[in-house]
Amino acid sequence: MNAALAAGGFALAAADLVLLVGCWKRRSVLAGVLAAASLPLAAFAIAAGPEHPPGEYSLLIATVALVLGAALYAIGQLLERLLDQQPRSRRD
């Protein structure tokens, strides 16, 4: 169980890095802040040992922050695509 939680912490840290780089390239601030905050939490969970309650809780909080950051990133990209579309004229 401990090895699975540690592997999950490493996967979570890798996902945070991917989201952080994507937010950096697209200039998505709020999602980037959540990814940047989630990365040290995942590192703390790995260092503290996921079998202890502080490690488990920080891993849970990092997961929630990653999911919220990814959702905000997706919503921001969707809104950007919608705003870039040209409006249709009424005469067509």
Side-chain angles (χ1 to χ4, degrees):
M1 182 70 174
N2 296 337
L5 287 174
F10 282 115
L12 188 65
D16 283 329
L17 282 174
V18 169
L19 181 62
L20 192 59
V21 168
C23 291
W24 182 268
K25 287 182 178 181
R26 292 288 201 159
R27 296 184 177 109
S28 177
V29 177
L30 190 55
V33 167
L34 283 172
S38 178
L39 187 61
L41 285 171
F44 172 74
I46 294 168
E51 68 272 0
H52 301 298
E56 289 177 4
Y57 296 145
S58 63
L59 198 59
L60 178 67
I61 293 169
T63 304
V64 169
L66 178 66
V67 169
L68 285 176
L72 286 173
Y73 181 76
I75 290 171
Q77 294 305 309
L78 176 68
L79 287 175
E80 186 175 334
R81 270 187 259 132
L82 287 174
L83 290 173
D84 285 343
Q85 290 179 354
Q86 295 293 328
R88 290 189 226 166
S89 65
R90 288 215 172 256
R91 295 180 186 182
D92 289 341

